[in-house]
Amino acid sequence: MAESSDRVSSLLLPMRGFNLVLPHANVAEVLQGVEPEPSGNDLAWLVGSIEWRGIRIPLISYETLCGRESGPSGDTPATVVVYGLEGIGDLRFYALELQGIPRPMVLDAERVEPVDDDSAEPNEFVARNVLVAGQPGIIPELASVERGIQSATG
C-alpha cells in the first residue's frame, strides 16, 4: 500500500476526450453558468475574461491551447478557477473552460499510469500524458500555461 505522502487529492477536469489532472490545492473554485466577456484578440485559446470575486480574470480553453479538438461544452459545462502559482507578472488567478463537472479523486501510483505516446507531438503545455483509473488524462505544464496567459494579457 502506498504511503499517505504518495497520495494526492486531485480533481479530474473533464475536457473533450480526456481529463485534465490537477491537485485539488491548485483549484480555487468551480463555477457554473459563467458568461465570459470576449477577449477581442486573435488567440482562439484565450476565450475572454470572467468576473470572479470582484476581479476580472482570463478564461482559456486548455484544449485549444494544446492544439487539440475543442467544441461546445457538454450538458453541464463548468469553469474552474486556478491559482496562478508561478508568480508570473500579476497573474494571481485564471479560469479554464470545462466540458462537465470535475470529479475529486485521491491519486497514487496505482491509479495513474504514464503513457508513452510516440505519435503525440511534443507540447510545451503538457507535462505528461497519463491514464487515470483507465481513462486518458493530461497533467498540465502550468508554468508554460501561465507564461502563455501572461504574454497574451500582460
Side-chain angles (χ1 to χ4, degrees), residues 1-47:
M1 182 168 163
E3 302 214 6
S4 62
S5 63
D6 294 338
R7 298 167 53 112
V8 177
S9 177
S10 302
L11 284 174
L12 302 182
L13 307 174
M15 302 283 164
R16 183 172 299 286
F18 67 95
N19 287 302
L20 196 62
V21 182
L22 282 183
H24 200 274
N26 288 55
V27 175
E29 189 170 354
V30 177
L31 309 169
Q32 287 186 277
V34 174
E35 288 295 323
E37 181 178 305
S39 68
N41 69 32
D42 293 338
L43 301 172
W45 58 267
L46 184 58
V47 177

Side-chain angles (χ1 to χ4, degrees), residues 38-100:
S39 68
N41 69 32
D42 293 338
L43 301 172
W45 58 267
L46 184 58
V47 177
S49 63
I50 63 169
E51 180 82 19
W52 179 72
R53 296 187 182 184
I55 60 173
R56 193 141 287 283
I57 62 173
L59 173 65
I60 70 165
S61 166
Y62 181 80
E63 297 154 318
T64 305
L65 180 66
C66 290
R68 292 177 176 247
E69 180 182 345
S70 65
S73 295
D75 293 336
T76 50
T79 302
V80 65
V81 177
V82 179
Y83 292 105
L85 300 176
E86 297 298 317
I88 298 170
D90 59 355
L91 185 66
R92 294 180 37 226
F93 303 97
Y94 55 98
L96 303 171
E97 286 186 318
L98 303 179
Q99 297 293 324

